[in-house]
Amino acid sequence: MGKQYWRPGNMLYPVPAVMVSAAKDGEKPNIITVAWAGTVCSSPAMVSISVRESRYSYDIIKESKEFVINLVTKDLAYAADLCGVISGRDNDKFAKAGLTAEKMEHVSAPGIKESPVCIECKVVDEIKLGSHSMFLANVEGVAVDESLLDEKGRLELDKANLVAYSHGDYMMLGKKIGSFGYSVRKKPAKKNTTGKNINKNNNKNSNKNTSTKKSNRTKGNRTK
C-alpha cells in the first residue's frame, strides 16, 4: 500500500504534554497546557514553548519572563486537559484543577506540586512565528520528586507514568525497547558453561588416574 500526500501540517507526534505555570507579581498564578514544547540546547540547557498571543498566559510570560514546565503523568492528564480548555481570565486554574502552587528555588513563577518534575525557566528571547510566538528560555533549575530516585540518587523517570500527546489524544508511554547507543553496544560474551564442565570432568578424571597410579606403585613396593 502506498502513501497519501497531504498539505503541510503539524504531524510531528507524539510530543510532550506539559502544563506551564506562570505568574505576574501580585496576581493569581495561571497554568496553560502546551504541546509545542521542547529541548533546543544541551549546554547551556535551554527549552522552548510556543504560545498563541491571544492566550491569557502569553502576556504573563512576556511580562514576567519566567515560567515553569511541569511534566504530566497519568494522574494529571485530566487536569492538563482542563487547563487547556478553560481560560485563566475567568478561572483560577489551580483551584479548578485541584492543583497546588509550589514555590520554586530559582524563579518567582510557581511550580505544580503534584507534578513529578518541574523545570524552572527564564526567557531569553521571543520569536514571533505566525499563529504562535516561541519563547526561548534558559533552564535555571529542575525540581524532581524524590520518589523517582533510586538508592544511588539516579532518576528513574519511567516510574512517573508520563503522558504524551499524539494527534489530539493523550497517550501513556509504552514498553522500553532500548537505551541510547544500544544499536552499537557490544553484547557481553556468553560464558561457555559446557566447556567448563568438560574441563572439570577432565581434571577429576586426571586426579583419579594419578591416585590409582600412586596406589598401584605402593602395592608393588609392599609385594617386593
Side-chain angles (χ1 to χ4, degrees), residues 109-124:
I112 297 175
K113 186 176 182 180
E114 291 77 9
S115 173
V117 179
C118 304
I119 305 167
E120 304 170 74
C121 306
K122 286 190 177 180
V123 176
V124 296

Side-chain angles (χ1 to χ4, degrees), residues 203-218:
N203 290 334
K204 286 180 181 179
N205 292 334
S206 177
N207 292 334
K208 285 181 180 179
N209 292 336
T210 303
S211 300
T212 303
K213 288 179 181 178
K214 286 182 180 180
S215 176
N216 290 337
R217 284 199 297 269
T218 303

Side-chain angles (χ1 to χ4, degrees), residues 45 67-69 104-107 117-122 138-144:
F67 59 87
V68 178
I69 295 176
M104 296 283 98
E105 285 192 6
H106 302 93
V107 297
V117 179
C118 304
I119 305 167
E120 304 170 74
C121 306
K122 286 190 177 180
N138 285 331
V139 175
E140 301 294 327
V142 181
V144 179

